[in-house]
Amino acid sequence: MISTQETRARTLPRKRQAERVTQLKGAVSRLAIQASLWIWAILVVFPFVWMIYTSFKTDQEIFFSPWSLPQTPRWDNFVRAWTKAHIGQYFFNSLVVVVPSVIFTLLFSAMAAYVLARFPFRGNRLILYIFISGMMFPIFLGLVPLFFLLQRLSLLNTFFGLILVYIAYSLPFSIFFLTGFFKTLPSELHEAAIVDGTNQWQAFFLIMLPLAQPGLVTIGVFNVLGMWNQFVLPLVLMSDNTKYLLTQGLAYMLHQQYYMNDWSGLFAAVVIVMLPTLLTYSLFQGRIQKGLTVGALKG
Amino acid sequence: MYRGKYSVIIPFLAPPLILYAVFVLYPYAQAMYVSLTHWSGVSPTPQFVGLRNFARLVRDDYFWNALSHNLIYLAVLPASILALGFFFAFLLTQGVRGAGFYRIVYFFPQVMSVVAVGVLWSFVYHPTLGLLNGFLRLIGIQNPPVWLGNPSTALLAVGAVVIWQAVGFYTVFFIAGMESIPTTYYEAARLDGATGWHLFRHITLPLLWENVRVAAVFLAIGALDMFGIVQTMTEGGPSRATDVLGTYLYENAFKHSQFGYATAIAVTLFVLVLALSLLVMRATVRETVEY
């Protein structure tokens, strides 16, 4: 699925860069290019850098000298954010929801994608389209009915309910992505296994699923990021503020700030929130970039 | 190879399909009905009122106010993001040193939660302790604007953040597209005497046009669907200066319990998104260039 574009871009990287015809020649152009690139890089990076060193300052330092570095690093800002501002609680809540959601999304979408990609049967295309069409609808459309649906099922304001919703809404893209992926896997192993007498379940779990590992990792990372950052769903479905997830908790903290004035704590809170994302990104950025953009190119 | 296939097909498809049907399809379908009702959640059943919600919507100044902001964003954001994305993608495919580093850095904001970005920029825009005004004061501007608190600057301020977050993604997106154009095309054109601009206009742009179309549709839909960033930074204020359909809908549903009306807004939004997607696809049709 990703193959042609990737292999072309990957087989001759160095040579292509050098050969890549410089469409703007001359030292001046080069300088202008570097300058533009630098300016945007600073625009992107500096707000984060500023936020990180500001999170170590005291409230007075923050107010009176927004640009300066902290005198001494105030780690207690982080402790306060974690405990008094409940970021620790929100972090834990997010984990409780995201981890099972990702696991089951991967499991269910792999199962569905496998069957849809490799087995001919009546209604195969229809079911695939039904899943994929889910990507086209804005989440707003279903928000109110979803709210009442969960209420009727007594799942409102529960982690279990939220997990079910997270999985359901992640299925369209994950199935879309994995179906394409499963189509590229070779059939020989599967065929050989069936001929040898393994049943279809064993063939999937013991042979085809391990083969699908690269695709699963990519879509897994994508789902981890998407679910960790999800805002609207917990905002609407979780009303008990001890059950807030990290995103809505952070927004709540910000809106409360105008009364509480713990700026240093708030800065520390945002840094805490950003860390897992930063970590995931540094580990997986290649995959993330390829996965997201290829998904869009194919779509 | 397909022996006993139904023993996998049915159990493998059942759980995802059921979850999806219950939590996604059913609410979407129900929304169509709820938009035709009056419902404040107090009574167990909504009360059918036909098209009254839509009539109310048409007469609602706040609705038009929110829509106007979406339209402003629609006019400004996709174009800016596409232009900047293309610009940087172009620069980064010119054999520049450290191109990989820039790609990693530029892409990062996209990976952040919209709330984290919103909180970060609320700080940056803060009138007294913020980065931006601190910088402006440093260069001599005495009374820098209260970006998010002033109705005349708030809309622009939030829009700038959206651009900031999105450019990196589209840069990488276009680079992926550009890298799949064979260099032989450029070499052949060069041999014929083509210069930089010609190469861009006659090779790069046409071959990348499908990517541009996809990007344009995504961005246009995004301009209408805006919610998280606005809700975090301003909640639609000050005085509804940054209200968009998403925040207005949310407010009607969850602050005023006007569920029927809010759903009518959602249905309208959905129709607008569909219409807009079709429009953008139609307007950007070109002869497909095969290679």
Side-chain angles (χ1 to χ4, degrees):
Chain A
M1 176 188 123
I2 311 180
S3 1
T4 14
Q5 286 189 346
E6 270 201 2
T7 41
R8 246 192 292 186
R10 258 199 273 194
T11 41
L12 309 164
R14 293 286 142 76
K15 194 156 187 275
R16 274 162 80 76
Q17 283 280 35
E19 269 180 13
R20 199 151 265 291
V21 183
T22 35
Q23 298 177 12
L24 301 169
K25 292 208 165 123
V28 174
S29 318
R30 295 208 150 279
L31 203 64
I33 294 177
Q34 285 287 356
S36 320
L37 290 174
W38 264 100
I39 291 173
W40 192 260
I42 292 175
L43 270 177
V44 168
V45 171
F46 195 62
F48 289 110
V49 167
W50 174 72
M51 198 178 66
I52 293 176
Y53 76 68
T54 304
S55 66
F56 285 102
K57 289 158 72 164
T58 62
D59 280 341
Q60 284 93 334
E61 284 175 321
I62 295 179
F63 254 103
F64 294 114
S65 39
W67 275 72
S68 60
L69 288 170
Q71 288 272 21
T72 50
R74 305 293 303 245
W75 293 95
D76 58 297
N77 293 341
F78 289 89
V79 174
R80 250 190 353 271
W82 191 264
T83 52
K84 274 182 59 194
H86 308 292
I87 294 295
Q89 175 80 47
Y90 301 151
F91 196 96
F92 176 72
N93 294 344
S94 280
L95 277 179
V96 165
V97 171
V98 173
V99 171
S101 300
V102 172
I103 293 174
F104 281 97
T105 298
L106 285 180
L107 182 65
F108 287 158
S109 52
M111 283 161 56
Y114 173 67
V115 162
L116 289 171
R118 306 188 65 89
F119 288 79
F121 58 91
R122 283 248 309 265
N124 181 319
R125 287 210 112 182
L126 178 66
I127 295 181
L128 184 61
Y129 286 151
I130 290 178
F131 275 118
I132 294 183
S133 64
M135 293 195 294
M136 285 197 318
F137 294 79
I139 212 164
F140 285 122
L141 194 58
L143 218 51
V144 169
L146 184 64
F147 178 80
F148 285 104
L149 175 65
L150 286 196
Q151 196 181 57
R152 280 206 304 274
L153 295 174
S154 303
L155 288 176
L156 203 59
N157 205 33
T158 62
F159 290 132
F160 181 62
L162 196 60
I163 290 172
L164 291 179
V165 171
Y166 269 32
I167 298 173
Y169 282 90
S170 308
L171 287 174
F173 184 75
S174 302
I175 291 179
F176 165 68
F177 184 90
L178 285 176
T179 306
F181 188 81
F182 271 111
K183 284 204 164 113
T184 66
L185 294 185
S187 326
E188 293 82 34
L189 287 171
H190 181 204
E191 268 191 73
I194 297 294
V195 165
D196 271 353
T198 45
N199 65 41
Q200 295 285 5
W201 282 65
Q202 289 168 326
F204 174 69
F205 283 103
L206 300 174
I207 300 174
M208 300 308 274
L209 197 57
L211 273 182
Q213 198 201 40
L216 287 174
V217 171
T218 305
I219 201 72
V221 171
F222 181 79
N223 273 309
V224 166
L225 279 177
M227 289 180 178
W228 189 259
N229 292 341
Q230 174 62 238
F231 179 50
V232 183
L233 288 175
L235 185 67
V236 167
L237 301 176
M238 307 300 276
S239 46
D240 182 352
N241 63 13
T242 58
K243 292 193 181 154
Y244 278 177
L245 297 200
L246 208 46
T247 44
Q248 73 190 117
L250 189 62
Y252 175 68
M253 242 188 111
L254 178 69
H255 296 150
Q256 291 276 307
Q257 236 0 278
Y258 298 110
Y259 311 108
M260 278 194 322
N261 275 314
D262 184 2
W263 293 106
S264 44
L266 189 51
F267 273 80
V270 185
V271 173
I272 294 175
V273 171
M274 274 193 355
L275 280 176
T277 315
L278 184 55
L279 199 69
T280 312
Y281 184 67
S282 6
L283 289 175
F284 293 104
Q285 53 83 18
R287 278 184 187 278
I288 295 172
Q289 288 196 15
K290 290 223 166 65
L292 281 179
T293 52
V294 168
L297 279 172
K298 289 287 178 190
Chain B
M1 186 163 90
Y2 300 129
R3 188 189 49 196
K5 66 183 181 183
Y6 287 104
S7 71
V8 264
I9 293 177
I10 297 176
F12 275 25
L13 278 180
L17 259 181
I18 293 174
L19 265 180
Y20 181 65
V22 170
F23 291 106
V24 180
L25 293 181
Y26 176 66
Y28 284 157
Q30 215 195 6
M32 303 298 173
Y33 172 68
V34 174
S35 68
L36 301 173
T37 66
H38 172 70
W39 196 16
S40 48
V42 173
S43 59
T45 47
Q47 181 199 0
F48 187 79
V49 293
L51 294 174
R52 211 171 71 186
N53 287 327
F54 292 97
R56 174 177 162 193
L57 188 157
V58 169
R59 287 191 313 256
D60 184 355
D61 283 337
Y62 292 157
F63 171 80
W64 292 106
N65 174 57
L67 181 59
S68 72
H69 296 153
N70 283 100
L71 292 178
I72 292 175
Y73 282 144
L74 181 64
V76 174
L77 299 182
S80 327
I81 296 171
L82 284 177
L84 283 171
F86 227 107
F87 177 64
F88 290 119
F90 179 71
L91 292 185
L92 288 175
T93 48
Q94 294 311 302
V96 168
R97 289 246 300 266
F101 165 76
Y102 286 115
R103 285 172 64 161
I104 296 177
V105 168
Y106 287 7
F107 198 79
F108 184 60
Q110 186 64 32
V111 158
M112 297 257 84
S113 153
V114 84
V115 175
V117 171
V119 173
L120 170 60
W121 278 88
S122 297
F123 295 154
V124 172
Y125 280 140
H126 194 276
T128 42
L129 55 85
L131 187 59
L132 182 59
N133 284 5
F135 175 71
L136 292 176
R137 272 187 226 108
L138 257 175
I139 61 174
I141 300 177
Q142 292 297 5
N143 283 314
V146 178
W147 298 99
L148 295 178
N150 187 337
S152 44
T153 52
L155 197 64
L156 172 81
V158 175
V161 178
V162 176
I163 296 176
W164 178 84
Q165 193 185 18
V167 166
F169 177 85
Y170 289 95
T171 304
V172 171
F173 182 72
F174 287 138
I175 289 178
M178 286 175 181
E179 278 180 347
S180 63
I181 300 177
T183 38
T184 45
Y185 282 33
Y186 293 111
E187 286 160 11
R190 222 149 239 279
L191 286 177
D192 283 346
T195 60
W197 178 245
H198 279 126
L199 291 172
F200 179 73
R201 254 205 79 210
H202 297 288
I203 300 181
T204 314
L205 200 52
L207 287 176
L208 233 45
W209 193 248
E210 280 311 301
N211 295 18
V212 173
R213 286 179 90 194
V214 172
V217 173
F218 275 13
L219 286 169
I221 295 178
L224 287 189
D225 274 351
M226 278 180 74
F227 171 72
I229 193 79
V230 180
Q231 180 69 16
T232 306
M233 292 181 79
T234 58
E235 290 189 281
S239 315
R240 296 190 185 277
T242 56
D243 208 11
V244 284
L245 288 179
T247 49
Y248 186 53
L249 181 167
Y250 175 78
E251 177 193 340
N252 271 294
F254 299 104
K255 300 234 169 82
H256 306 309
S257 297
Q258 295 281 300
F259 296 111
Y261 187 52
T263 310
I265 299 177
V267 170
T268 309
L269 180 58
F270 173 59
V271 170
L272 284 174
V273 164
L274 272 184
L276 184 64
S277 312
L278 275 174
L279 200 71
V280 173
M281 290 304 270
R282 275 291 150 85
T284 55
V285 156
R286 295 271 187 281
E287 244 174 54
T288 40
V289 180
E290 295 284 317
Y291 64 103

